[in-house]
Amino acid sequence: MPRGARDRRAAILRLASTSGLTSVEELSNTFGVTASTIRRDLSQLESAGHLARTYGGAMALDAHHETSLRQRSGQAFEAKRSIATWAADQVRTGETILLDSGTTTGALARELATRRDLTVVTTGLTVLQELAQATNVRVECLGGTLRPLSQGFVGSLTEAALERMTFDRAFLGADGVTAEHGICEADLQQTRLKELMGQRAEHTYVLVHAAKLGHHPFHAHAPFGPGWTLVTDTAADSAATAPFHARGIDVVVVDPDGRVREEPH
Amino acid sequence: MPRGARDRRAAILRLASTSGLTSVEELSNTFGVTASTIRRDLSQLESAGHLARTYGGAMALDAHHETSLRQRSGQAFEAKRSIATWAADQVRTGETILLDSGTTTGALARELATRRDLTVVTTGLTVLQELAQATNVRVECLGGTLRPLSQGFVGSLTEAALERMTFDRAFLGADGVTAEHGICEADLQQTRLKELMGQRAEHTYVLVHAAKLGHHPFHAHAPFGPGWTLVTDTAADSAATAPFHARGIDVVVVDPDGRVREEPH
DNA sequence: ACACTGTTGCGCACTTCGCGCAATACCTAT
DNA sequence: ATAGGTATTGCGCGAAGTGCGCAACAGTGT
């Protein structure tokens, strides 16, 4: 009954999700097939990214881990980590900072997890996940409606919460950035929120790896505020950063070792 | 230099966390020790719950997965799942429901992740993690300050957001529950929040597995509101549920197959 | 009816794993 | 400082898990 192949794989996923951890032998007995077959199933499910194989079995992989693992193998991961390291270095003890949603700010949150005497306010689920166990960091969430794609909170609830607070520093992400139009996002709700976030901080940084410079995949924009700093990685050549310089925007280019290549103002 | 044992394990954790996935051979080469030693390290780190071993290596385990796996092997896990299944069955299409923080409500969120046309509002990070990829469920977070232990949001931000909404159903967790004092939590901030949550819903359910019945580990309480329903599992004998009946509180006892043992009103 | 794709079970070689053992490094208490 | 106890490490071996090729078979489309 080879029809059962798809059904069995789905069942394996369900079992793994509910029990968290399953063994090849257990699955083999449950479905009455050989261990070889189970192994093949696990191989396939692993390739699909729904499962992680362990010694003699498999473990469930939730959405966060799924994307997280995918992110880590992405080409921009190193760039994001460099940017995050630099950004973490700007944060001083005792400050209250605002972290936008996104993977880059998630990386920054990871860097900050071991700090003490720090308040991190965020609109991003990724950030919350990274700081969930950081007992020495005060973590606040602005709330709102969860956007599935960006894993961030938006909406009137978010904006209302934001209007009650100010910050020492705000770190924003972006889907794209151009010197002319500023931050680019999928919809106006997000750009308005980012604009608001940037306005309520003493120092505002826009963290984008080089590939996003000069691109605007969507048509909602939030212009750079006065004094905002653009932070990117060494994959950005001077042709990419020049338009920002021309408009008087501070640009910081960080290399993988954390050194800064140029920092005009 | 066996002093390096602890350092090496910490370094392994760091490496695994940043790269997401590492191999025994790679680690062996990096630290200049035998594969056996690495395996022992991984064994220990796995027992400590910081790591998941794969075939020929290990993978990072974030905080969510850590606690999640621990929870799933906990003795009350089956009870929680039974309660969550019953609770999910109460939720009708189109409703807006409120989920408290906690592992039981997290299990409920998991049950609801595949539903459509549903709005879930929550104060719990666990719930958010379970619903992060649930594209057919509208997810809202009330925001607030993250409490590390309960992984839930509390504070004036949470309460302010709560005051702007009402719900068809609210599902609350608890550290303990007695017929006399109601829900028991570690501090007054949490009990006040739960009280508020229960007041703003049409139907309110208190989800607690049997071991928590009759216990009040702390001294902050939130009394049962009128019409609230206590939901627990079959490990609760009639001696445990009787005090609640005596006070006119509806009690639902769910067995692992989802059947209800008693439901007086 | 026929070919084709996908699935399954089996055997085999390879890799990885866990455990016991002896030697060594580290820690601590006197 | 020294001595005793604990923890760590490397090595060898048997056991377990894994991947791959092969042949047989089910389900599908022409």
Side-chain angles (χ1 to χ4, degrees):
Chain A
M1 51 204 146
R3 163 58 178 276
R6 281 188 298 275
D7 299 342
R8 186 184 58 245
R9 289 188 189 114
I12 288 176
L13 267 186
R14 271 204 314 275
L15 277 181
S17 294
T18 52
S19 47
L21 202 65
T22 37
S23 73
V24 170
E25 192 183 357
E26 181 188 339
L27 292 171
S28 169
N29 291 334
T30 304
F31 297 106
V33 293
T34 326
S36 289
T37 303
I38 297 295
R39 267 186 263 278
R40 274 186 278 251
D41 290 338
L42 297 184
S43 259
Q44 187 173 325
L45 291 170
E46 184 191 31
S47 303
H50 302 304
L51 213 66
R53 300 190 61 182
T54 64
Y55 186 90
M59 65 183 295
L61 210 54
D62 60 27
H64 174 217
H65 233 91
E66 229 176 282
T67 54
S68 179
L69 276 180
R70 235 190 291 276
Q71 286 300 336
R72 275 193 262 257
S73 34
Q75 73 279 33
F77 173 66
E78 274 305 322
K80 287 176 183 175
R81 212 164 58 84
S82 306
I83 294 171
T85 304
W86 181 88
D89 214 45
Q90 310 308 304
V91 178
R92 315 280 286 267
T93 300
E95 289 189 339
T96 295
I97 66 167
L98 176 61
L99 294 192
D100 193 10
S101 56
T103 51
T104 308
T105 49
L108 172 52
R110 174 180 285 266
E111 298 287 328
L112 294 172
T114 55
R115 297 279 287 266
R116 291 179 304 162
D117 191 16
L118 194 67
T119 300
V120 175
V121 186
T122 186
T123 62
L125 183 52
T126 313
V127 172
L128 289 173
Q129 285 165 334
E130 296 290 350
L131 295 177
Q133 302 297 320
T135 48
N136 290 318
V137 178
R138 180 185 175 89
V139 181
E140 305 224 8
C141 172
L142 290 178
T145 306
L146 184 66
R147 268 182 53 97
L149 285 91
S150 64
Q151 297 281 288
F153 300 104
V154 295
S156 54
L157 216 55
T158 322
E159 293 174 19
L162 198 50
E163 279 163 5
R164 301 180 179 199
M165 315 182 73
T166 57
F167 310 92
D168 293 308
R169 297 171 204 281
F171 296 92
L172 306 182
D175 286 342
V177 151
T178 62
E180 189 180 357
H181 301 107
I183 296 176
C184 175
E185 287 290 333
D187 60 62
L188 289 167
Q189 203 174 29
Q190 290 208 84
T191 51
R192 185 178 57 189
L193 186 60
K194 281 176 202 288
E195 217 172 324
L196 200 55
M197 288 170 75
Q199 285 168 5
R200 302 200 69 81
E202 201 79 29
H203 303 92
T204 297
Y205 308 82
V206 179
L207 312 180
V208 283
H209 63 269
K212 286 176 175 172
L213 287 183
H215 289 99
H216 52 114
F218 308 109
H219 296 286
H221 301 277
F224 274 79
W228 290 17
T229 306
L230 179 68
V231 187
T232 189
D233 63 287
T234 43
D237 52 25
S238 44
T241 58
F244 297 94
H245 289 155
R247 290 184 174 256
I249 299 167
D250 280 356
V251 179
V252 175
V253 181
V254 190
D255 79 0
D257 301 324
R259 287 190 300 268
V260 173
R261 200 181 66 186
E262 45 178 323
E263 190 174 4
H265 56 273
Chain B
M1 50 203 144
R3 163 57 177 277
R6 279 189 299 276
D7 299 342
R8 186 183 57 245
R9 288 186 191 113
I12 288 176
L13 268 185
R14 271 205 315 276
L15 276 181
S17 295
T18 52
S19 47
L21 202 65
T22 37
S23 73
V24 171
E25 193 184 356
E26 181 189 338
L27 292 170
S28 168
N29 291 335
T30 304
F31 297 106
V33 293
T34 324
S36 289
T37 303
I38 297 295
R39 268 185 261 278
R40 274 186 278 252
D41 289 339
L42 296 183
S43 247
Q44 186 172 327
L45 291 170
E46 184 191 31
S47 303
H50 302 305
L51 213 66
R53 301 189 60 181
T54 64
Y55 187 90
M59 65 183 295
L61 211 55
D62 58 26
H64 173 216
H65 235 90
E66 234 177 273
T67 54
S68 180
L69 276 180
R70 234 191 292 276
Q71 286 300 335
R72 277 195 261 258
S73 34
Q75 74 279 32
F77 173 66
E78 274 304 321
K80 287 176 184 173
R81 213 165 57 86
S82 307
I83 294 170
T85 304
W86 181 89
D89 214 47
Q90 309 308 304
V91 178
R92 314 280 286 267
T93 300
E95 289 188 341
T96 295
I97 67 168
L98 176 61
L99 294 191
D100 192 11
S101 57
T103 53
T104 309
T105 49
L108 172 52
R110 173 179 287 265
E111 298 286 330
L112 295 173
T114 55
R115 297 278 287 267
R116 289 178 306 163
D117 192 15
L118 194 67
T119 300
V120 175
V121 186
T122 187
T123 62
L125 182 54
T126 314
V127 172
L128 290 174
Q129 285 164 335
E130 296 291 350
L131 295 176
Q133 301 297 318
T135 49
N136 291 317
V137 178
R138 180 185 174 91
V139 181
E140 305 225 9
C141 173
L142 290 178
T145 306
L146 184 66
R147 267 183 53 97
L149 284 92
S150 64
Q151 295 282 286
F153 299 105
V154 295
S156 53
L157 215 56
T158 322
E159 294 174 18
L162 198 52
E163 279 163 5
R164 300 181 178 197
M165 316 182 74
T166 58
F167 310 92
D168 292 308
R169 298 172 203 282
F171 297 92
L172 306 182
D175 285 342
V177 151
T178 63
E180 189 179 357
H181 300 108
I183 295 176
C184 175
E185 288 291 332
D187 60 63
L188 288 167
Q189 202 174 29
Q190 290 209 83
T191 53
R192 185 179 57 188
L193 186 59
K194 281 176 201 287
E195 218 172 325
L196 199 55
M197 289 171 74
Q199 286 168 4
R200 301 200 69 81
E202 201 79 30
H203 303 92
T204 297
Y205 307 82
V206 179
L207 312 180
V208 283
H209 63 270
K212 286 176 175 172
L213 287 183
H215 287 100
H216 53 114
F218 308 110
H219 297 285
H221 301 278
F224 274 80
W228 289 17
T229 306
L230 179 69
V231 187
T232 188
D233 64 288
T234 44
D237 53 24
S238 45
T241 59
F244 296 94
H245 290 153
R247 290 186 174 253
I249 298 166
D250 281 356
V251 180
V252 175
V253 181
V254 191
D255 79 0
D257 299 325
R259 288 189 300 268
V260 173
R261 199 180 70 186
E262 47 179 321
E263 191 174 5
H265 56 272

